Amino acid sequence: MEMEKLGIKRVRCHSEKAAAYMADGYARVSRRPGIALAQSVGAANMAAGLQDAYLAVSPVIAITGRWAPTFLYRHAYQEIDHRPFYDPVTKFNAYVDTIEDLPLMLSQAFREATTGAPGPVHLDFMGLAGEGASDAEADLEVMAEIPFRQYPAFRPEPESEHIKEAARLIVQAERPVLVAGGGVTASVAQAETCRLAEMLSIPVATSLNGKGAISEDHRLSVGVVGTYSRKCANEIVAEADLVVFIGSHTGGQVTHFWQIPKPGTRTIQIDIDPSEIGRNYPAAVCLQGDAKVTLQRLIDAVEPRGLNTVWTSRAQELVQVWREAYEPLFVSDAVPIRPERLCREITKMLPADAVLVSDTGHAGIWTGSMIELTQPAQTYLRCAGSLGWGFPAAMGAKCAEPNRPVICFTGDGGFWYHIGELETAARFGINTVTVVNNNRSFNQCKGGFESAYLDQAGGDSGALWVFEDVNFAEVARSMGCLGIRVEDPSEIGSALDQAIGANRPVVVDVASDMEAMAPTAYVPE
């Protein structure tokens, strides 16, 4: 109630985990902390929801309540110790025992969430629903420090000597590649990434978090690299003699478990967090700083050079081979619908200022490799690993940017996790468009289950990965949303057009091919 007096709109949803995902989507789009609250019994659910924000370095502030100390060790109803849940998924995890603690701890929460590499924080208030702080009265001043209202709060830059050495190595390399990570999008360094690439004629691959760092129809763009990738991106990074990681943790997914680039490849790493530099690939030059500022210093330090035609032609050739290989599927009229055709139609219909939110698993592979962002105002948000994140995260993104179209791409397996939040979207007028690649299965798991049952006479592995044939358009309508069912590929475009213009929550349920598998990552022999 007090929040309403300040113009803060609260969204009451159906699960604490979904609330954390919504706050995460809000934070990633707005580049401001998102806040999620839960009473004591929901604290464990909310902690589980912070996993994705932690993995994606997103500044979510989680606030929970807890029973007073006199209730501890006595089997108080619904009470367990919350702090162990939050330690692995937060940068800062603290108690707020009294109202007098509130100014200090709220300020520290924003400070921790937005500085360095952003990340989630947790404040555990006294009282089952935090009433130890919320119901007390005191004459206090809460400092709202301007730098910590958004991220990056500060933009540190590397030493000039390191910049000069990095510039020298980049200019001397015969086959350099830039790999743009999530630090590029967090720092809003897309323009600088593209400018450096164009000055020195360097191909650019991206992580999923960095997708959109360069227009995907640009002559130097090679696509997403790693596990959820295009074959051509992995080929090009594997052939590089110098890889410049920009705001990337060089983790298992972007490198396909440290195989792309090949171990021993010379690297330069730019990261705001010095502890990440050289973690997985020993760096020839370490550049500790904000991505935008560091790239600008590199741009200032190098001289434009002529086109590196041999290397760029090789990159363009591999991209073209990839495009030609998938073109028949991009235009396929097959029924059930091919996901590749769905992705092509989304690329064609995606508004110039759209936010595209993707779930993980096959949804991450389809959107990362097959849907192209070609406008500078388009934004891509990806799930960092928690299946079911996509739909509620898209709702949070829409709350942050109510005037931008927000389109969520998920599979039916992911959509089932938080389908109840359709009612929340209808109740609060959160007008997202959710495209469900409905192959009525977890077909990504098919191989494992069928292999396990291979020698079992009469065994039914399908019961573990094949679902009932549910019409999600009808489910959406029953919860107060618009539902559109698509069974013919020729109808995808008109359905998306209707959904984007509907100005209400929409589910576009696309009946797709259960046998269509997303491509696996290419690894050189």
Side-chain angles (χ1 to χ4, degrees):
M1 182 273 294
E2 294 292 341
M3 290 181 185
E4 290 176 356
K5 295 179 182 178
L6 299 173
I8 298 171
K9 184 174 183 179
R10 297 164 298 149
V11 176
R12 174 62 184 266
C13 51
H14 290 285
S15 84
E16 296 85 3
K17 194 174 183 184
Y21 290 167
M22 291 181 197
D24 185 8
Y26 179 96
R28 295 197 210 181
V29 168
S30 68
R31 297 176 51 249
R32 303 189 302 270
I35 301 177
L37 303 94
Q39 64 170 310
S40 179
V41 69
N45 290 338
M46 184 161 287
L50 289 185
Q51 172 181 269
D52 217 85
Y54 182 78
L55 294 172
V57 290
S58 177
V60 174
I61 298 174
I63 298 175
T64 60
R66 72 183 193 282
W67 281 110
T70 54
F71 288 81
L72 297 182
Y73 315 113
R74 302 172 65 186
H75 306 297
Y77 182 52
Q78 299 178 330
E79 181 66 7
I80 54 176
D81 185 7
H82 305 155
R83 293 188 72 179
F85 303 144
Y86 285 88
D87 279 339
V89 293
T90 59
K91 291 178 65 181
F92 181 65
N93 181 18
Y95 286 150
V96 179
D97 292 325
T98 69
I99 192 170
E100 286 78 16
D101 295 333
L102 202 53
L104 172 65
M105 301 311 291
L106 279 178
S107 294
Q108 189 64 22
F110 277 82
R111 189 178 296 112
E112 295 274 1
T114 59
T115 54
V121 303
H122 172 234
L123 299 180
D124 209 12
F125 282 27
M126 185 68 72
L128 182 66
E131 61 271 15
S134 63
D135 290 358
E137 293 186 6
D139 184 12
L140 303 171
E141 182 180 3
V142 177
M143 293 295 295
E145 297 162 300
I146 291 174
F148 310 119
R149 297 178 185 179
Q150 69 284 313
Y151 67 93
F154 304 106
R155 294 187 181 274
E157 61 181 88
E159 295 88 342
S160 60
E161 289 304 312
H162 293 175
I163 288 288
K164 291 177 183 177
E165 178 62 13
R168 185 184 67 81
L169 291 182
I170 294 170
V171 170
Q172 289 180 351
E174 295 181 0
R175 301 183 307 280
V177 172
L178 305 182
V179 175
V184 171
T185 51
S187 181
V188 196
Q190 293 91 332
E192 288 78 8
T193 300
C194 192
R195 191 174 307 130
L196 181 64
E198 290 174 341
M199 285 180 65
L200 300 178
S201 194
I202 304 176
V204 180
T206 76
S207 69
L208 277 176
N209 272 343
K211 184 177 170 71
I214 185 171
S215 175
E216 292 183 288
D217 60 358
H218 193 286
R219 63 182 179 83
L220 294 173
S221 172
V222 301
V224 172
V225 68
T227 302
Y228 291 4
S229 60
R230 290 182 178 179
K231 179 184 180 185
C232 54
N234 282 12
E235 289 176 313
I236 292 160
V237 175
E239 292 181 15
D241 64 356
L242 176 68
V243 177
V244 183
F245 288 104
I246 311 168
S248 169
H249 284 166
T250 65
Q253 189 177 67
V254 73
T255 63
H256 194 49
F257 305 101
W258 311 286
Q259 299 176 89
I260 311 288
K262 298 174 183 176
T265 301
R266 178 174 285 189
T267 67
I268 295 171
Q269 190 168 351
I270 301 169
D271 205 286
I272 200 168
D273 183 352
S275 68
E276 292 298 334
I277 299 175
R279 180 186 291 270
N280 292 312
Y281 288 87
V285 182
C286 306
L287 297 177
Q288 191 262 317
D290 168 74
K292 188 180 186 75
V293 173
T294 302
L295 286 170
Q296 186 58 55
R297 296 295 173 267
L298 282 172
I299 290 167
D300 295 340
V302 300
E303 293 291 334
R305 70 180 182 188
L307 293 178
N308 185 353
T309 54
V310 174
W311 178 228
T312 56
S313 295
R314 171 63 175 164
Q316 290 164 1
E317 174 192 1
L318 290 171
V319 171
Q320 187 59 31
V321 168
W322 179 87
R323 290 187 185 281
E324 290 174 357
Y326 277 94
E327 186 62 22
L329 294 173
F330 285 141
V331 299
S332 171
D333 290 326
V335 176
I337 295 168
R338 290 289 309 191
E340 297 90 346
R341 173 68 184 271
L342 173 59
C343 290
R344 170 63 64 84
E345 296 296 330
I346 292 174
T347 296
K348 289 162 54 177
M349 296 296 298
L350 200 64
D353 61 343
V355 179
L356 176 64
V357 182
S358 173
D359 222 320
T360 193
H362 274 183
I365 303 175
W366 294 126
T367 58
S369 63
M370 306 288 177
I371 296 177
E372 296 199 320
L373 305 187
T374 59
Q375 301 297 322
Q378 291 173 336
T379 301
Y380 179 80
L381 302 183
R382 57 71 58 106
C383 175
S386 306
L387 188 61
W389 174 89
F391 172 48
M395 293 171 62
K398 186 66 174 180
C399 290
E401 293 281 4
N403 296 321
R404 294 177 66 184
V406 177
I407 296 95
C408 171
F409 186 109
T410 185
D412 49 313
F415 193 44
W416 277 119
Y417 274 70
H418 298 292
I419 196 169
E421 302 304 342
L422 283 173
E423 189 277 337
T424 306
R427 179 161 32 102
F428 286 95
I430 304 173
N431 300 328
T432 57
V433 173
T434 303
V435 179
V436 183
N437 178 42
N438 185 0
N439 55 24
R440 61 185 187 89
S441 69
F442 270 142
N443 75 342
Q444 189 171 4
C445 304
K446 176 183 177 181
F449 286 129
E450 290 193 343
S451 176
Y453 279 77
L454 188 62
D455 298 324
Q456 300 298 313
D460 181 17
S461 71
L464 299 174
W465 64 274
V466 178
F467 304 147
E468 295 297 322
D469 191 3
V470 173
N471 186 323
F472 288 112
E474 293 180 355
V475 174
R477 288 191 287 267
S478 74
M479 294 193 187
C481 304
L482 174 62
I484 305 171
R485 174 81 170 182
V486 179
E487 297 179 346
D488 188 302
S490 66
E491 299 171 354
I492 298 173
S494 60
L496 292 173
D497 185 54
Q498 180 186 354
I500 292 168
N503 198 34
R504 58 185 295 198
V506 185
V507 172
V508 180
D509 184 30
V510 180
S512 65
D513 187 356
M514 185 187 297
E515 300 301 320
M517 297 292 177
T520 57
Y522 164 82
V523 179
E525 296 180 359

